[in-house]
Amino acid sequence: MAAGWVAALKLVPWGDVIEATPQILQAAKKLLGTTQKGNADAAAEALEGGAGGEPAMPVALQLQHLRHRVAQLEREQQESAVLLQSLAEQNAQVVRAVEVLRQRQQRLTVAAGILAVACTGLLVWMLQQ
């Protein structure tokens, strides 16, 4: 069974995977960095009022800040979608490789069965001689 996994790993286009890995890692780190809780806390703190209930910023500035934040979140969402697409493509390559191996394993099992029957028949024939 370990040989099957080794064969599956050989079928994966590792050159493509390795080539895409730094980009995916960089995108994941960037996405993680921009979506960490600290950003949300800082944005909420800037928009909330001070201790006296007064707004920290004028409403127009708050609106501008919120628009900027929404645009930033839309960019992050788009980056997430690109990252997920890349991961899905790599996953599809692995699935295709595993399917090819499954088919080969079935053929090998049938061939081994035929060979076992032939060897058994040959052994019985030789013992009868």
Side-chain angles (χ1 to χ4, degrees):
M1 197 53 125
W5 283 107
V6 171
L9 293 175
K10 288 181 181 178
L11 289 177
V12 174
W14 289 110
D16 295 342
V17 173
I18 291 170
E19 184 179 315
T21 300
Q23 296 165 347
I24 293 172
L25 184 60
Q26 182 182 14
K29 285 181 179 180
K30 181 179 177 186
L31 185 62
L32 181 64
T34 57
T35 59
Q36 288 191 351
K37 193 174 186 232
N39 289 346
D41 290 344
E45 193 175 293
L47 294 176
E48 288 179 359
E54 303 170 358
M57 294 187 249
V59 175
L61 193 56
Q62 287 181 359
L63 183 59
Q64 180 183 1
H65 182 74
L66 288 174
R67 285 181 180 156
H68 174 70
R69 182 70 177 138
V70 167
Q72 181 183 4
L73 290 172
E74 287 174 348
R75 280 192 308 272
E76 290 173 7
Q77 183 179 13
Q78 183 64 31
E79 290 171 1
S80 296
V82 170
L83 179 61
L84 287 174
Q85 177 67 30
S86 176
L87 292 173
E89 288 171 0
Q90 288 185 4
N91 190 35
Q93 289 177 346
V94 171
V95 167
R96 282 191 298 269
V98 169
E99 178 62 22
V100 168
L101 285 175
R102 186 189 64 78
Q103 291 172 353
R104 288 182 181 176
Q105 185 268 333
Q106 286 178 339
R107 290 183 205 135
L108 183 61
T109 300
V110 169
I114 291 171
L115 184 60
V117 168
C119 286
T120 304
L122 182 61
L123 183 63
V124 167
W125 179 76
M126 287 179 64
L127 290 176
Q128 289 178 351
Q129 297 295 328

